[in-house]
Amino acid sequence: MNVYKELIDQKESLSLVGLGYVGMPIAVEFAKRGVKVIGFDLNSEKIRIYKSGVDPTKEVGDEVIKNTTVKFTSKAEDLKRAKFHIVAVPTPVNDDHTPDLSPVEGASRILGRNLTKNSVVVFESTVYPGVTEDVCVPILEKESGLKCGIDFKVGYSPERINPGDKVHRLSTIKKIVSGMDEETLDTVAKVYEIVVDAGVYRAESIKVAEAAKVIENSQRDINIAFMNELSIIFNKMGIDTKSVLEAAGTKWNFLKFYPGLVGGHCIGVDPYYLTYKAEELGYHSQIILSGRRINDDMGKYVAENVVKNLIAADKAVKGAKIAIIGFTFKENCPDTRNTKVIDIVNELQEYGIEPTIADPTADAAEAKKLYGVEFADIEEIKAMDAVILAVAHTEFASFTVEQMSKFFGDGKKVLLDLKGLLNRKEYEQAGYSYWRL
């Protein structure tokens, strides 16, 4: 059976297993291009929200969700109606930084129980090389009673969606595709070409595609770690890091990375998948893990500098009134999962400080559930000793000195602008104690 042709002719359906920040936009885009799509997620509440026409991720917008033809469901048996399956579930790490494959294993079990003959299964979740064929395929075979390569085929196409980014979208980013054999690769490539206007890159094997994805984010992680280390060094020297990077950035081949908190489900997680597999093979990573250590410690470093700046401003540390503005793991995105801002919160609590947190963009219910954090209204922030501008939401970049001053009480105004959103000279001239990474 030609799965691609059957999808184009609307004789068969495509399914998305996992409808988060990655899966949902993929489902919607395929539906927009005329493919019959079944959108499956175990979370029945999430399905209810989508069916009501609301986009909690803010990735495509309520209007698009309202008008999409995607059949949203939490009933696993509905997957039997699809012949092309895309698995887009998260792949987090455990507390000891080892890979937590339970979401992708669970998705494989559910899909396996509802897999029919002549289907194609493509995994998008970020994993170390070998997971698709060595972990997921045996589960699919066991649960379905079918044989991979005979009754169904598998492929891998790593997600490259950048949550909150309205420029680099599914359709505009070249997509890596792979398959267990040439026929599968051709099918997977043609199906993704339906939605990816930028085209696809055909990797020579599934393991190559898995490895390509995991090093993309490892490379970014290492470069940001270098910037964070420079920030620590230049801070000790009394030099402004942003000014240094702007000067160095005038050279044509200087890589423009910046210091910051590295959270989320990709850059702060993927390197551990690679180093875990390397350890299994007897190699202890040096560069990758050293970068991870630096980035994982940045929340603590920021909190220490809050305390130093309070002391320098003759303010008491214990019980100090601190506001943290921004809580998500990245700008212009409501997702708070694996945010490193919580590291600042936890470290400040060690000093006897209970910060007030505000983030109008963040998913408040999620933050409450995951961290026990309750957001304050940003308009209610007043009489603060220090303010930490933690996330570069677009709306924060337009803050004026007058608006910022409303957040503070008497005495020296201590401002920590972690992303360098504001004009340093302007705030220093206004009498602020201004600090940034």
Side-chain angles (χ1 to χ4, degrees):
M1 184 180 77
N2 187 329
V3 174
Y4 167 72
K5 190 172 186 312
E6 298 285 294
L7 289 175
I8 289 292
D9 294 341
Q10 295 195 329
K11 291 178 180 176
E12 291 291 353
S13 297
L14 174 149
S15 88
L16 246 298
V17 180
L19 294 174
Y21 287 80
V22 172
M24 184 274 292
I26 297 172
V28 167
E29 193 63 34
F30 270 108
K32 193 195 294 182
R33 306 289 178 111
V35 176
K36 288 163 64 179
V37 179
I38 297 164
F40 170 79
D41 199 287
L42 269 178
N43 187 332
S44 56
E45 176 58 18
K46 184 187 289 183
I47 295 300
R48 184 195 67 76
I49 292 170
Y50 284 141
K51 282 184 172 179
S52 70
V54 173
D55 174 15
T57 71
K58 299 182 182 176
E59 284 299 300
V60 301
D62 294 351
E63 202 59 35
V64 172
I65 292 291
K66 221 172 280 180
N67 296 308
T68 186
T69 58
V70 175
K71 303 297 181 188
F72 294 112
T73 181
S74 57
K75 295 175 181 174
E77 56 268 28
D78 288 341
L79 294 171
K80 290 176 181 174
R81 295 190 282 111
K83 283 294 180 190
F84 193 98
H85 304 275
I86 297 174
V87 179
V89 295
T91 40
V93 291
N94 298 306
D95 292 339
D96 62 356
H97 297 148
T98 56
D100 176 8
L101 294 176
S102 58
V104 76
E105 288 171 340
S108 298
R109 275 191 287 273
I110 290 169
L111 184 52
R113 289 195 289 268
N114 296 282
L115 198 61
T116 59
K117 274 192 173 186
N118 301 317
S119 293
V120 176
V121 180
V122 179
F123 290 87
E124 287 220 1
S125 307
T126 305
V127 292
Y128 56 78
V131 168
T132 300
E133 292 156 298
D134 302 339
V135 176
C136 300
V137 165
I139 294 172
L140 291 171
E141 288 183 326
K142 181 184 175 186
E143 297 294 337
S144 66
L146 302 174
K147 190 69 181 166
C148 185
I150 299 172
D151 301 314
F152 70 93
K153 300 290 184 77
V154 295
Y156 181 79
S157 179
E159 56 88 5
R160 278 177 163 172
I161 286 176
N162 188 23
D165 188 336
K166 301 305 179 190
V167 176
H168 301 100
R169 313 298 294 162
L170 171 66
S171 61
T172 62
I173 306 170
K174 187 177 278 285
K175 195 93 162 71
I176 294 173
V177 296
S178 65
M180 65 183 295
D181 52 38
E182 284 301 317
E183 181 189 27
T184 309
L185 174 59
D186 195 55
T187 298
V188 173
K190 285 178 176 174
V191 170
Y192 275 106
E193 281 171 343
I194 297 171
V195 293
V196 183
D197 299 327
V200 302
Y201 176 86
R202 299 185 181 209
E204 67 177 48
S205 70
I206 287 175
K207 285 186 175 70
V208 165
E210 290 170 326
K213 171 58 182 177
V214 84
I215 70 160
E216 286 175 17
N217 286 325
S218 296
Q219 183 189 67
R220 285 187 60 76
D221 192 45
I222 291 164
N223 278 292
I224 296 169
F226 176 48
M227 295 300 115
N228 280 332
E229 188 166 58
L230 290 179
S231 175
I232 293 168
I233 294 168
F234 292 145
N235 187 34
K236 288 183 178 295
M237 293 180 175
I239 302 172
D240 181 55
T241 307
K242 188 176 182 182
S243 298
V244 174
L245 295 178
E246 285 173 351
T250 59
K251 191 181 180 191
W252 75 91
N253 61 353
F254 186 81
L255 302 178
K256 295 189 178 182
F257 287 90
Y258 300 93
L261 303 174
V262 184
H265 329 290
C266 296
I267 301 177
V269 170
D270 295 356
Y272 287 124
Y273 273 73
L274 188 55
T275 57
Y276 170 82
K277 190 60 182 176
E279 290 274 3
E280 272 195 343
L281 299 171
Y283 180 77
H284 180 75
S285 163
Q286 297 176 67
I287 292 176
I288 300 171
L289 285 180
S290 65
R292 278 282 74 234
R293 280 192 294 273
I294 291 169
N295 288 341
D296 276 345
D297 284 345
M298 289 310 287
K300 183 175 186 288
Y301 175 69
V302 168
E304 287 170 353
N305 278 279
V306 172
V307 171
K308 287 177 183 177
N309 279 278
L310 284 172
I311 293 169
D314 292 323
K315 291 176 181 280
V317 173
K318 188 175 182 180
K321 295 189 71 178
I322 310 290
I324 298 176
I325 300 177
F327 190 76
T328 58
F329 88 90
K330 67 172 291 186
E331 65 276 5
N332 306 321
C333 172
D335 199 351
T336 65
R337 293 172 300 168
N338 201 29
T339 175
K340 288 300 177 182
V341 179
I342 194 64
D343 292 352
I344 302 173
V345 175
N346 293 338
E347 196 66 25
L348 288 177
Q349 288 172 339
E350 294 286 319
Y351 289 100
I353 299 169
E354 283 295 338
T356 300
I357 306 168
D359 191 333
T361 299
D363 185 331
E366 182 181 75
K368 170 73 173 168
K369 179 183 174 186
L370 294 178
Y371 309 105
V373 165
E374 290 198 25
F375 295 142
D377 190 310
I378 201 163
E379 302 296 327
E380 295 170 0
I381 295 176
K382 291 181 180 6
M384 294 293 149
D385 295 308
V387 171
I388 305 168
L389 195 54
V391 183
H393 292 319
T394 302
E395 61 197 289
F396 297 164
S398 61
F399 279 158
T400 63
V401 174
E402 291 73 27
Q403 285 174 301
M404 189 63 69
S405 295
K406 291 177 183 176
F407 298 143
F408 290 92
D410 297 330
K412 189 87 169 175
K413 296 176 178 65
V414 176
L415 174 62
L416 292 95
D417 178 11
L418 303 191
K419 299 295 288 183
L421 273 184
L422 308 175
N423 185 310
R424 179 180 193 129
K425 286 183 180 175
E426 186 181 1
Y427 280 84
E428 287 180 340
Q429 285 168 2
Y432 278 68
S433 169
Y434 179 98
W435 184 94
R436 64 187 176 201
L437 287 171

